[in-house]
Amino acid sequence: TALRKSPYHCNLLLAGYDESTGPSLYWMDYLATLNKINTGGTGYGSYFVLSMFDKMWHPNLTEAEALDMMLKGIDEVKQRLVVAPSKYVIKVVDKNGTRVVQTV
């Protein structure tokens, strides 16, 4: 099959927190192009939610607003994507590390 004849491709969302710069989110595509972004998504479902995330994001976004944004994105994917996953885990990355906020 074609899968066994070519190398694997992988896109990556990378989130972290640095004491000097604060929180950061990066997108790296399979060609190793790295971009700092404000919102992101990967996979087919991202086509349905990225424009909504761009519209809802602002520099002073609170955790509650971010959670609301994620829940709206999950609802959109569930409505539009036939093969949408049945379970989603929403996590926060901040100066205290990583933690699960909600499982949908």
Side-chain angles (χ1 to χ4, degrees), residues 14-26 35-39 57-63 66 91-99:
L14 177 66
Y17 185 89
D18 183 57
E19 291 294 330
S20 61
T21 59
S24 297
L25 179 63
Y26 294 90
N35 290 304
K36 186 171 182 176
I37 56 177
N38 297 319
T39 64
W57 184 87
H58 58 85
N60 299 315
L61 193 72
T62 66
E63 187 176 315
K91 295 184 178 184
V92 167
V93 178
D94 61 15
K95 64 182 175 182
N96 300 316
T98 305
R99 60 184 159 69

Side-chain angles (χ1 to χ4, degrees), residues 43-104:
Y44 196 72
S46 67
Y47 294 119
F48 303 122
V49 298
L50 288 179
S51 61
M52 179 177 65
F53 288 171
D54 285 340
K55 184 177 179 182
M56 296 176 74
W57 184 87
H58 58 85
N60 299 315
L61 193 72
T62 66
E63 187 176 315
E65 290 172 319
L67 178 60
D68 182 56
M69 189 167 74
M70 292 297 104
L71 292 173
K72 287 180 179 176
I74 290 168
D75 286 343
E76 192 69 25
V77 168
K78 284 182 175 180
Q79 286 179 9
R80 297 175 136 218
L81 191 60
V82 177
V83 292
S86 59
K87 182 180 176 185
Y88 297 82
V89 179
I90 302 171
K91 295 184 178 184
V92 167
V93 178
D94 61 15
K95 64 182 175 182
N96 300 316
T98 305
R99 60 184 159 69
V100 174
V101 176
Q102 187 171 343
T103 301
V104 179

